[in-house]
Every structure is written in C-alpha cells, then in structure tokens.
C-alpha cells in the first residue's frame, strides 16, 4: 500500500426500512475538517488524474461502485511510483485516506453512475494548488483497459 494511504472498512446496517451507511467519525480524521462534497461519476469516463500539493482527501463511494486508482508521485516517498487499485462502493464499503502528493483517478463500474463523497481537509478554494494529468498520457503507467486483476 502507498505510504499514507489508509483503507478503513465502514459499516452498512440494513433492515426492512432501508440501510444505514456510516460515513466518517471525528477520530478517523488526522487533519482539520474543511468541506464535504459529493460528485456523481458517469460510467465510461475516467475522472482524473488529480494530484494535490496540500489537500488531504477522504473518499467514500456511497452509491454504486468504482475503481479508485492511486499513484504515489512524492519523489521522497519509499512508495514512489507505486500504483494501488481499490474497488469501492456497494460490495466494498470503505473510507480511503489519500495524502497530498498521491495522484488519484476513478472509473465508475456501476450503471449508470456512482456517487463519491469527499471529506476534504480544506474548503474549496480556486487557489488551492493541484495538477491534472491526462489519464491517457502515460505519464502514470496504468492501463485503464485492464479489467482483470
């Protein structure tokens, strides 16, 4: 696993009325709370790569399922250039902590979409520095057509 990335199993409690899906607890954050936002991700689209200089991300797929791919771009990290894949959502309901300097991208696996929640360390600010990388550029060595792992 990439240094600083954590995957925490979350509880889902179904009963005849529906399902409670636990989100995040204060003791699971190792940084100040900034903002919560939700992003609907359409099937057939790669969302990313994104890499933040200072923002800490905390992802939960609350509806559907997606493939989260991470790549450590921190040159001083012992896991530099390591790539991790995490299938998350209905079948694997987890919280994923993503530290600054780790690129992330997602691919929705459920039809027609998935809903991703991010509990970010800072409120949205257009001046927060981050970089986008074209998922087809090969700057990050990952084959998005690969479906068997």
């Amino acid at each position: 696993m990439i240094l600083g990335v954590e995957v925490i199993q979350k509880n889902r409690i179904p009963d005849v009325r529906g399902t409670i899906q636990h989100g995040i607890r204060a003791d699971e954050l190792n940084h100040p709370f900034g903002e919560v936002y939700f992003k609907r991700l359409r099937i057939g689209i790669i969302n990313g790569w994104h890499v933040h200089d200072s923002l800490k991300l905390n992802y939960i797929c609350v509806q559907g399922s997606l493939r989260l791919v991470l790549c450590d771009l921190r040159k001083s990290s012992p896991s530099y250039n390591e790539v991790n894949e995490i299938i998350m959502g209905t079948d694997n309901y987890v919280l994923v902590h993503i530290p600054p300097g780790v690129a992330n991208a997602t691919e929705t696996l459920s039809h027609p979409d998935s809903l991703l929640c991010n509990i970010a360390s800072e409120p949205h600010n257009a001046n927060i520095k981050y970089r986008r990388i074209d998922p087809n550029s090969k700057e990050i060595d990952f084959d998005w057509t690969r479906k068997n792992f």
Side-chain angles (χ1 to χ4, degrees), residues 90-109:
T90 304
D91 294 332
N92 187 31
Y93 189 59
V94 295
L95 163 67
V96 180
H97 295 302
I98 305 169
V102 174
N104 71 91
T106 57
E107 175 186 24
T108 293
L109 303 174

Side-chain angles (χ1 to χ4, degrees), residues 51-130:
V51 60
H52 292 271
D53 286 352
S54 63
L55 197 65
K56 298 173 186 172
L57 309 173
N58 299 278
Y59 284 176
I60 301 173
C61 181
V62 295
Q63 180 183 340
S65 65
L66 56 84
R67 173 165 60 164
L68 171 64
V69 184
L70 307 171
C71 181
D72 191 349
L73 298 182
R74 302 168 295 176
K75 291 183 179 174
S76 63
S77 171
S79 54
Y80 176 62
N81 272 338
E82 185 174 322
V83 173
N84 294 158
E85 294 179 63
I86 301 163
I87 304 301
M88 58 190 302
T90 304
D91 294 332
N92 187 31
Y93 189 59
V94 295
L95 163 67
V96 180
H97 295 302
I98 305 169
V102 174
N104 71 91
T106 57
E107 175 186 24
T108 293
L109 303 174
S110 55
H111 184 75
D113 52 29
S114 60
L115 185 62
L116 180 67
C117 173
N118 181 24
I119 302 93
S121 61
E122 302 171 33
H124 175 75
N125 178 337
N127 296 321
I128 291 176
K129 189 172 178 187
Y130 77 99

Side-chain angles (χ1 to χ4, degrees), residues 29 32 114 147:
L29 282 179
S114 60
K147 300 298 181 193

